[in-house]
């Protein structure tokens, strides 16, 4: 799923952005809009966004999208950002790569002058022009990045961005599949990045591959009796035993359904939408798709609330934006938020036809 870009839902202006806990202030719900990179029939309409989202993250500023400067984010996505900013919403975007991750060129550039001209300068110009409130560094696979003193260089990059922008929030997305490495500071020392990062977003999505077990139980179960299945409890244990600042940790929770690879035509996506899933003319085929059962989506939201300061829902483009599941629009998003807010559980039968 690394090549699929997923992106993030606030009701207040940026200077009011705060991460708050059970002391009487509200925690954060962040909703992703993948935007133009995700080929679906979802059409952005600011009046139809789920009201319970607090922050909206749109698309991704991609360092490798095009050779021409100032073309690192699609024009259609710029339009979405502009409309949200003008409506006084809190807006984030991601930064990263579309094709092959090459973070050494970002955090440890071989030519400083070229880096400043072609990468850092255009990024700062975009952030200040678009007036976004935050960025999420889409570097999920931090343990695969081969840079000496990676934490130090990442921190310097973040500090340099903050020096050139106004009160920008910066977060780091990390794949939950690396949970066993989290406590090992010799591999990545979070106590260093705690100083500059405002958010750690731990991706709980698709912790396991789409197979017969995950069709039945979900791709990211909270707990499991199947010995080789990665669970959210395992991921949470890694987070708990790490040196990450616990006041900054968000859980990224899956919204999209996954099509098993043997059913994906060549050149097609393995991620679909719930509007397609519920509107399928071939129930036998769609019943083989992997998605989290409605109760699991609810329970994931509830589980996150016990240990995390926020949740990130990926992504609105893949939820039932068309109302085809007959549970109003964005039912999976609302199920997760219901669990997060301890609202009553309401099943949606068409989401559970597996």
């Amino acid at each position: 799923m690394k090549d699929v870009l997923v992106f993030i839902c606030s009701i207040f202006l940026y200077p009011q952005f705060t991460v708050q806990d059970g002391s009487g202030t509200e925690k954060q719900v962040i909703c992703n809009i993948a935007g133009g990179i995700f080929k679906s029939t979802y059409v952005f309409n600011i009046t139809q966004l789920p009201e319970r989202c607090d922050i909206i993250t749109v698309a991704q500023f991609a360092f490798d999208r095009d050779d021409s400067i100032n073309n690192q984010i699609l024009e259609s996505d710029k339009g979405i950002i502009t409309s949200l900013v003008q409506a006084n919403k809190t807006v984030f975007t991601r930064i990263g790569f579309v094709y092959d991750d090459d973070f050494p060129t970002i955090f440890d550039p071989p030519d400083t002058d070229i880096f400043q001209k072609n990468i850092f300068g255009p990024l700062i110009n975009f952030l200040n022009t678009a007036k976004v409130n935050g960025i999420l560094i889409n570097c999920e696979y931090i343990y695969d990045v081969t840079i000496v003193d990676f934490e130090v260089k990442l921190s310097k990059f973040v500090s340099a961005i903050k020096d050139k922008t106004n009160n920008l929030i910066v977060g780091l997305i990390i794949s939950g599949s690396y949970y066993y490495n989290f406590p090992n500071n010799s591999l990545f020392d979070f106590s260093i990045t705690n100083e500059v990062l405002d958010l750690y977003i731990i991706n709980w999505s698709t912790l396991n591959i789409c197979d017969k077990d995950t069709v039945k139980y979900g791709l990211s179960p909270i707990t499991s009796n199947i010995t080789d299945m990665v669970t959210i409890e395992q991921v949470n244990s890694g987070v708990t035993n790490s040196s990450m600042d616990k006041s900054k940790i968000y859980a990224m929770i899956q919204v999209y359904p996954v099509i098993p690879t043997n059913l994906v035509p060549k050149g097609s996506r393995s991620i679909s939408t719930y509007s397609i899933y519920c509107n399928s003319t071939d129930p036998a085929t769609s019943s083989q798709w992997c998605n989290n059962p409605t109760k699991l989506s609810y329970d994931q939201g509830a589980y996150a609330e016990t240990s995390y300061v926020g949740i990130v829902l990926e992504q609105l483009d893949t939820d039932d934006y068309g109302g085809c599941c007959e549970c109003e629009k964005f039912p999976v998003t609302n199920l997760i938020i219901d669990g997060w807010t301890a609202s009553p559980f309401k099943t949606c039968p068409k989401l559970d036809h597996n």
Side-chain angles (χ1 to χ4, degrees):
M1 303 311 146
K2 182 179 177 182
D3 60 327
V4 177
L5 301 179
V6 291
F7 315 109
I8 308 181
C9 260
S10 176
I11 304 301
F12 40 81
L13 291 171
Y14 172 76
Q16 298 172 311
F17 179 90
T18 52
V19 174
Q20 302 172 352
D21 54 26
S23 61
T25 47
E26 190 174 358
K27 293 184 177 182
Q28 299 286 333
V29 175
I30 301 177
C31 299
N32 307 335
I33 296 177
I37 196 69
F38 191 85
K39 308 300 183 184
S40 79
T41 57
Y42 172 73
V43 178
F44 169 75
N45 185 328
I46 194 171
T47 66
Q48 294 180 0
L49 293 176
E51 294 181 357
R52 303 163 79 189
C53 297
D54 298 311
I55 299 168
I56 306 171
T57 293
V58 181
Q60 176 162 275
F61 181 99
F63 300 115
D64 61 342
R65 176 162 284 128
D66 197 287
D67 290 335
S68 60
I69 305 302
N70 299 322
N71 195 33
Q72 290 92 343
I73 189 161
L74 299 175
E75 288 298 325
S76 58
D77 295 330
K78 287 182 184 178
I80 294 175
I81 291 172
T82 298
S83 64
L84 291 168
V85 170
Q86 290 176 347
N88 292 332
K89 306 294 185 182
T90 300
V91 184
F92 290 2
T93 192
R94 295 188 182 196
I95 63 172
F97 295 86
V98 174
Y99 306 108
D100 295 316
D101 285 0
D102 189 11
F103 281 101
T105 63
I106 306 302
F107 302 128
D108 192 21
D111 189 310
T112 304
D113 291 336
I114 292 177
F115 170 75
Q116 289 289 332
K117 178 182 177 181
N118 294 347
I119 295 177
F120 190 75
L123 173 60
I124 297 302
N125 180 65
F126 165 72
L127 294 176
N128 288 326
T129 302
K131 296 183 173 61
V132 297
N133 308 116
I135 58 171
L136 303 178
I137 302 173
N138 195 18
C139 185
E140 287 200 46
Y141 307 95
I142 58 173
Y143 296 101
D144 294 340
V145 178
T146 55
I147 301 177
V148 177
D149 296 326
F150 180 30
E151 314 92 314
V152 174
K153 290 170 182 174
L154 187 154
S155 297
K156 288 182 178 178
F157 174 78
V158 173
S159 295
I161 291 177
K162 289 189 172 186
D163 285 343
K164 298 290 185 179
T165 55
N166 184 26
N167 296 323
L168 191 76
I169 291 292
V170 180
L172 175 66
I173 303 173
I174 307 171
S175 173
S177 61
Y178 286 109
Y179 67 92
Y180 49 86
N181 284 332
F182 292 168
N184 190 339
N185 280 353
S186 67
L187 297 177
F188 190 98
D189 190 347
F190 293 103
S191 65
I192 294 173
T193 53
N194 285 341
E195 297 298 317
V196 296
L197 287 174
D198 304 291
L199 310 175
Y200 291 105
I201 297 173
I202 310 303
N203 193 350
W204 288 359
S205 304
T206 58
L207 293 176
N208 302 278
I209 64 170
C210 183
D211 59 18
K212 60 181 178 60
D213 289 326
T214 48
V215 166
K216 183 176 181 180
Y217 299 110
L219 283 151
S220 301
I222 294 173
T223 188
S224 177
N225 293 323
I226 302 172
T227 55
D228 60 348
M229 184 171 281
V230 179
T231 68
I232 288 173
E233 286 184 341
Q234 291 173 315
V235 175
N236 194 52
S237 176
V239 171
T240 300
N241 292 313
S242 76
S243 58
M244 296 180 205
D245 185 334
K246 305 306 185 291
S247 69
K248 299 179 177 181
I249 302 177
Y250 284 51
M252 180 179 282
I253 303 177
Q254 174 191 343
V255 170
Y256 53 83
V258 176
I259 307 173
T261 53
N262 64 302
L263 296 179
V264 179
K266 186 176 180 179
S268 299
R269 290 178 177 272
S270 60
I271 290 179
S272 188
T273 78
Y274 278 100
S275 286
I276 294 174
Y277 175 84
C278 288
N279 206 32
S280 174
T281 57
D282 186 359
T285 297
S286 60
S287 67
Q288 299 177 57
W289 293 14
C290 294
N291 63 290
N292 291 326
T294 53
K295 189 59 166 61
L296 178 55
S297 291
Y298 178 91
D299 289 345
Q300 287 176 341
Y303 186 90
E305 198 280 332
T306 63
S307 302
Y308 295 65
V309 299
I311 53 175
V312 176
L313 308 183
E314 66 167 27
Q315 54 211 11
L316 293 179
D317 315 63
T318 62
D319 203 345
D320 180 22
Y321 48 80
C324 299
C325 299
E326 301 175 3
C327 297
E328 301 184 349
K329 292 185 176 183
F330 304 110
V332 182
T333 295
N334 282 308
L335 276 164
I336 296 169
I337 298 174
D338 282 345
W340 173 252
T341 58
S343 301
F345 169 70
K346 299 184 292 291
T347 189
C348 184
K350 279 199 170 186
L351 294 177
D352 288 330
H353 71 60
N354 283 348

